[in-house]
Amino acid sequence: MDELTANISFDRFADMPEFYGSGAAKYRLAMVKSRDDFLELFEGADHVDAVTYAETPELMVQMLTEYGIGSLDVLIGNADDYADQVNEVATARSLVQLRQDDRLVVRLKNRKTVHSKIYRIVMPDDTVKLVQGSANLSRNSWEYHTNQISVMTTELGTELDESFERFIDQYREGYSSQTLLEGLVEALEDADSPEERENRIEYWVGAGDLDVSDTAALNQDAVEDLKAVADHVTAVVDDPDEADETVAFVEDPDTADRTVVEPEETEGEESDEPAGEETEPDVGLVESEHETGLTDTLDRPRVRTPDERIRMGTSKVDKDTADEFGASLRDRGATIEDHSITAPLSAYNTQVKESTAIPTMTVLPDAEQVVIGEQDEMILVATEEPTPAVLDHCLETIEDYIETVENHGHTQSETAVMAQMYEAFLYGFWAPFANQYAEAMSSPSRTLDNVLQHLYIEGKSDAGKDKLTEYILRLVSDNTVISGVDADDVGVKEIRGIREWNTSFPYAIIDAEKEKIQRWSPIRNYWGDWTPTSVDQPCLIFTTNDALPKSEFRNRMKILSMDVSFPSNPEDPGFREAQEDLADVLERQNPIFSYVARRMLTDKPWTDGNGTIEDVRGIVREFYKEAGREQPEYFPADEPAEKTYDTGRLKWQRDIQGGRVTFESEPDAITADFDREEYEVYDYEKRLPKRFMSEKSSTSVYIGAPDEFAEWIGYSVEDLLGNPAETETRPEPQAENETDASNADESSGFLSRLLGRS
């Protein structure tokens, strides 16, 4: 490292060197270009005190083991979710052991970011290195920055050393009130066996074999009561005359702002209630905003349940978790007792929505109901099968939304974009049932994360992908959810947290950057530790302006491309017309999800274990037949839209036709040379199926399976090596079913339906 060295003295103690050691303290100013050079300062230290930035808890283990540091006490000045960066059980195990051995204390900031970077390094010979500067322990700093540090070397206990230590203590006292692992270490001390200790460590990381977390256990209890309420409410809706409780009554239904159902009085039967007194209704049937008016029954009933309460047992969960869970419920009318929390249903529904940003949603196959919680209301599926007129209305409304692409959008792939938009609707209608499919398909030989994929919608900022996602959420939620969650408000903690609240409502993350998605490690094994005893967890939907993420994430995602541009500014031509057409569609009542859900609950297609979104695709095909409505050309009736209209293939074909790519022969391979920037070529390579054995190098892409690539792209190898821009492409090749090597015992058709991939 480049450095400047000097000796320093102190005016206050010019003649008293004993205060700062024998002779002057040593000083050096150094330019540090790599983290290894920086970490050499710490090697062999007896103890290190630090205030710094850090991202990787693994580095703390490395410093204490590979660099021979006796003990480390560090305040992490930047991370709001530092504990969530512990993703490996082995790392957690090491961190716990180091803490229990009094070798490691990691202090977490409790308020604003601490930008300082200072280190006190005590060496075995009683010298102390006092370091300050820009160098920190985060990976980002060393990948993109060069750092400057000042190092003063003195002896242990000098005034310089003690003054420096006092600075560090001020940071600890003023900016930190919690240490990493403190709750886990306390829980481990109470563990009854080595197996329980290991299970608790694994659960803390998020990979454990415990049935559920403490938070999830409380939610399981809540859902058991919610199911009982739903059974009763369903009886009220299905047959008010036979209901155990009175359905809400108003004197003049025609003028009521809520539509209600009143059981008919039996002739000659007298009321037990004194004349002139009214009873408080327990249950009220509320008109849904998605009631079309085309039937005599409710398309999407809501039932008001103001007096229903749910109980959660707390005797077997961590006291701090129970106290935190009950604190906010108490403010909403909950009763907190020694071994339980009893709360109004409205309080619990509000708690879930505030904690997860999505509502409670529970699929009850036995009751043939999907229940959504909205304060003191329960939203149910359709009360009757749809009529042809209702289905025609629902399908027409979805088509009108999608056809804004041809009416107002600008795209070179109109049909492909509309097909992929329709595919997004099918995914949204399927997503609430993912846990039923997980239970049916869960087996040691199947990777659920490859089957129950997240939805990844990519496109430019004016592609309409966010509005599409929001409209899908509206349809699924009966207009109670009108937007997704801003990616800036999401981290590893939130991804893990939504798996504890027993809701299957889709969790949509809006404007997610590729780099962030790749840091959200739980995504990769989101379904991996799912068991039938787990709480329900929601499917994830991402919208992003970025290109595709790394392959380990792409394998977990159903990727749809919105290669379209809509007028997005008031001065853009057609902006007003586009907004008016879109508003017209959004204002229409459309209970289609209620009918899809009813059909799913009646047929229970997940029990066959051979489909996912394909089952919803089949239901919508049936709806077109029952409505007597012709399927639009873009409706992905037979296979996933992203397979029929492979946007990666379209991108390659456009560049070939435009003369922006040329091909050269290699031994048993070909190389595609692009007239594009290197970062653009990276996206082209990522869109190739793995079977082509491709590899990017600068602005070229090596393709190890030229015949298969040529078939996929619609040319012959000879055409590609000639002048493909002047060659007329063959008709679009039919999508092939592919066999996943990791599941060779399954049929290729089965896998292609599950994966929905080309």
Side-chain angles (χ1 to χ4, degrees), residues 517-643:
I517 293 174
Q518 291 168 171
R519 289 201 299 268
W520 295 335
S521 54
I523 293 173
R524 285 178 295 181
N525 300 300
Y526 185 79
W527 295 98
D529 56 355
W530 190 96
T531 68
T533 60
S534 301
V535 294
D536 285 353
Q537 57 194 50
C539 286
L540 304 180
I541 300 175
F542 305 93
T543 71
T544 179
N545 299 341
D546 291 344
L548 307 184
K550 293 179 180 178
S551 60
E552 60 264 34
F553 291 90
R554 295 203 301 274
N555 295 339
R556 306 295 198 252
M557 294 178 177
K558 180 182 182 71
I559 299 172
L560 302 177
S561 296
M562 296 280 288
D563 187 16
V564 61
S565 176
F566 288 100
S568 57
N569 297 309
E571 61 271 16
D572 292 342
F575 173 81
R576 186 179 302 277
E577 293 82 357
Q579 293 297 308
E580 289 174 354
D581 282 0
L582 187 61
D584 173 67
V585 175
L586 296 179
E587 289 169 4
R588 289 188 223 164
Q589 297 159 329
N590 188 353
I592 187 168
F593 174 72
S594 194
Y595 292 120
V596 170
R598 181 179 178 87
R599 195 67 58 90
M600 289 283 282
L601 290 162
T602 301
D603 298 346
K604 298 179 176 58
W606 55 81
T607 57
D608 294 337
N610 62 356
T612 53
I613 301 167
E614 297 307 306
D615 295 328
V616 173
R617 193 186 317 280
I619 289 172
V620 176
R621 276 200 309 263
E622 292 173 7
F623 284 175
Y624 272 103
K625 292 179 182 177
E626 293 169 20
R629 185 178 184 86
E630 184 179 352
Q631 296 175 9
E633 177 189 2
Y634 54 79
F635 173 61
D638 300 317
E639 64 179 4
E642 71 274 21
K643 189 170 185 178

Side-chain angles (χ1 to χ4, degrees), residues 484-499:
V485 183
D486 192 307
D488 289 340
D489 298 328
V490 177
V492 173
K493 181 179 180 180
E494 283 71 27
I495 299 293
R496 285 179 175 164
I498 57 174
R499 302 171 68 193

Side-chain angles (χ1 to χ4, degrees), residues 290-570:
H290 280 162
E291 163 64 37
T292 65
L294 298 175
T295 66
D296 294 329
T297 57
L298 288 173
D299 296 315
R300 190 73 182 270
R302 290 188 180 204
V303 181
R304 188 169 179 268
T305 58
D307 299 327
E308 300 295 341
R309 301 176 73 83
I310 56 176
R311 181 181 179 277
M312 293 152 279
T314 58
S315 59
K316 295 183 179 180
V317 302
D318 175 73
K319 183 179 183 300
D320 289 341
T321 302
D323 289 346
E324 182 180 354
F325 199 97
S328 57
L329 286 173
R330 183 189 290 113
D331 296 337
R332 301 187 177 104
T335 302
I336 312 298
E337 299 175 341
D338 287 343
H339 302 296
S340 67
I341 302 169
T342 304
L345 181 61
S346 60
Y348 177 72
N349 286 337
T350 302
Q351 176 85 349
V352 173
K353 200 162 188 178
E354 287 188 357
S355 300
T356 65
I358 54 178
T360 59
M361 179 181 245
T362 306
V363 178
L364 307 174
D366 293 340
E368 295 189 354
Q369 277 294 349
V370 176
V371 180
I372 302 175
E374 172 64 12
Q375 297 183 349
D376 65 351
E377 293 179 4
M378 302 182 80
I379 305 170
L380 311 176
V381 300
T383 53
E384 299 288 345
E385 280 290 314
T387 65
V390 169
L391 286 179
D392 187 69
H393 164 81
C394 293
L395 296 169
E396 179 185 37
T397 303
I398 289 212
E399 290 172 17
D400 285 349
Y401 184 96
I402 293 172
E403 287 167 12
T404 57
V405 171
E406 63 181 8
N407 296 333
H408 305 288
H410 303 281
T411 177
Q412 293 179 312
S413 313
E414 189 174 275
T415 303
V417 171
M418 291 194 291
Q420 299 207 23
M421 286 178 71
Y422 216 132
E423 190 75 26
F425 281 102
L426 300 181
Y427 181 95
F429 300 156
W430 166 81
F433 301 92
N435 291 273
Q436 280 62 51
Y437 284 89
E439 182 171 5
M441 296 178 174
S442 180
S443 75
S445 62
R446 180 180 289 122
T447 302
L448 281 180
D449 286 288
N450 285 343
V451 178
L452 307 177
Q453 295 179 314
H454 314 304
L455 180 61
Y456 185 96
I457 307 177
E458 60 166 342
K460 296 178 181 177
S461 59
D462 57 359
K465 57 191 182 299
D466 297 343
K467 186 64 69 176
L468 169 66
T469 302
E470 291 166 3
Y471 184 45
I472 292 170
L473 298 179
R474 284 174 180 265
L475 295 182
V476 174
S477 70
D478 198 52
N479 265 342
T480 61
V481 178
I482 60 175
S483 65
V485 183
D486 192 307
D488 289 340
D489 298 328
V490 177
V492 173
K493 181 179 180 180
E494 283 71 27
I495 299 293
R496 285 179 175 164
I498 57 174
R499 302 171 68 193
E500 299 184 323
W501 284 87
N502 212 93
T503 176
S504 57
F505 189 86
Y507 188 75
I509 304 173
I510 305 300
D511 281 338
E513 297 174 3
K514 177 176 61 177
E515 287 74 16
K516 282 187 176 180
I517 293 174
Q518 291 168 171
R519 289 201 299 268
W520 295 335
S521 54
I523 293 173
R524 285 178 295 181
N525 300 300
Y526 185 79
W527 295 98
D529 56 355
W530 190 96
T531 68
T533 60
S534 301
V535 294
D536 285 353
Q537 57 194 50
C539 286
L540 304 180
I541 300 175
F542 305 93
T543 71
T544 179
N545 299 341
D546 291 344
L548 307 184
K550 293 179 180 178
S551 60
E552 60 264 34
F553 291 90
R554 295 203 301 274
N555 295 339
R556 306 295 198 252
M557 294 178 177
K558 180 182 182 71
I559 299 172
L560 302 177
S561 296
M562 296 280 288
D563 187 16
V564 61
S565 176
F566 288 100
S568 57
N569 297 309

Side-chain angles (χ1 to χ4, degrees), residues 194-211:
E195 290 77 14
E196 182 183 349
R197 172 188 169 91
E198 187 68 13
N199 278 346
R200 287 189 177 276
I201 292 174
E202 291 179 356
Y203 175 71
W204 188 84
V205 173
D209 293 328
L210 294 178
D211 284 347

Side-chain angles (χ1 to χ4, degrees), residues 10-278:
F10 304 92
D11 293 340
R12 183 179 174 189
F13 307 110
D15 300 320
M16 304 175 69
E18 61 270 20
F19 282 104
Y20 51 83
S22 56
K26 295 180 180 179
Y27 172 85
R28 59 193 177 106
L29 178 67
M31 181 186 296
V32 190
K33 298 181 179 178
S34 73
R35 188 162 66 174
D36 289 341
D37 284 346
F38 180 60
L39 291 177
E40 285 179 2
L41 286 170
F42 302 85
E43 192 161 8
D46 274 354
H47 177 74
V48 174
D49 294 307
V51 178
T52 188
Y53 276 18
E55 294 171 356
T56 55
E58 293 89 343
L59 180 61
M60 305 301 146
V61 177
Q62 182 185 2
M63 291 177 68
L64 289 164
T65 54
E66 297 180 17
Y67 286 85
I69 297 173
S71 58
L72 172 64
D73 188 322
V74 55
L75 167 59
I76 308 299
N78 62 312
D80 292 313
D81 55 356
Y82 192 70
D84 296 326
Q85 305 305 317
V86 183
N87 298 316
E88 301 294 336
V89 172
T91 300
R93 195 182 295 122
S94 297
L95 291 169
V96 166
Q97 191 61 55
L98 289 167
R99 180 180 172 106
Q100 291 181 323
D101 292 343
D102 295 324
R103 295 186 61 200
L104 176 65
V105 177
V106 178
R107 303 174 191 268
L108 308 176
K109 74 180 183 70
N110 60 4
R111 50 193 182 112
K112 66 181 181 180
T113 297
V114 180
H115 200 264
S116 305
K117 288 89 179 176
I118 53 178
Y119 310 85
R120 177 176 176 267
I121 307 169
V122 181
M123 302 304 293
D125 61 358
D126 287 342
T127 61
V128 184
K129 289 182 273 190
L130 309 173
V131 183
Q132 63 87 27
S134 62
N136 59 41
L137 299 178
S138 69
R139 180 181 296 110
N140 183 68
S141 173
W142 296 100
E143 286 183 355
Y144 302 107
H145 305 152
T146 293
N147 292 279
Q148 196 81 15
I149 59 172
S150 295
V151 184
M152 292 176 286
T153 304
T154 184
E155 293 188 5
L156 186 67
T158 64
E159 175 125 348
L160 178 60
D161 173 40
E162 291 177 353
S163 296
F164 203 91
E165 190 173 13
R166 282 195 295 272
F167 271 112
I168 293 176
D169 286 339
Q170 288 180 35
Y171 282 111
R172 291 172 178 169
E173 293 167 5
Y175 295 92
S176 178
S177 57
Q178 182 183 6
T179 59
L180 181 69
L181 303 168
E182 63 184 25
L184 175 60
V185 170
E186 291 173 7
L188 293 178
E189 291 173 353
D190 297 333
D192 296 329
S193 66
E195 290 77 14
E196 182 183 349
R197 172 188 169 91
E198 187 68 13
N199 278 346
R200 287 189 177 276
I201 292 174
E202 291 179 356
Y203 175 71
W204 188 84
V205 173
D209 293 328
L210 294 178
D211 284 347
V212 291
S213 71
D214 290 331
T215 300
L218 293 169
N219 283 297
Q220 275 189 336
D221 276 2
V223 170
E224 287 304 312
D225 281 357
L226 187 150
K227 289 178 180 178
V229 175
D231 285 340
H232 164 66
V233 165
T234 300
V236 173
V237 174
D238 287 347
D239 192 348
D241 293 334
E242 298 298 324
D244 293 334
E245 299 184 44
T246 304
V247 180
F249 168 81
V250 293
E251 292 183 358
D252 188 359
D254 294 334
T255 62
D257 56 2
R258 291 174 181 268
T259 297
V260 298
V261 175
E262 175 191 358
E264 297 176 3
E265 292 185 9
T266 305
E267 253 187 70
E269 185 178 335
E270 295 184 3
S271 171
D272 294 332
E273 298 296 332
E277 292 189 15
E278 295 182 5

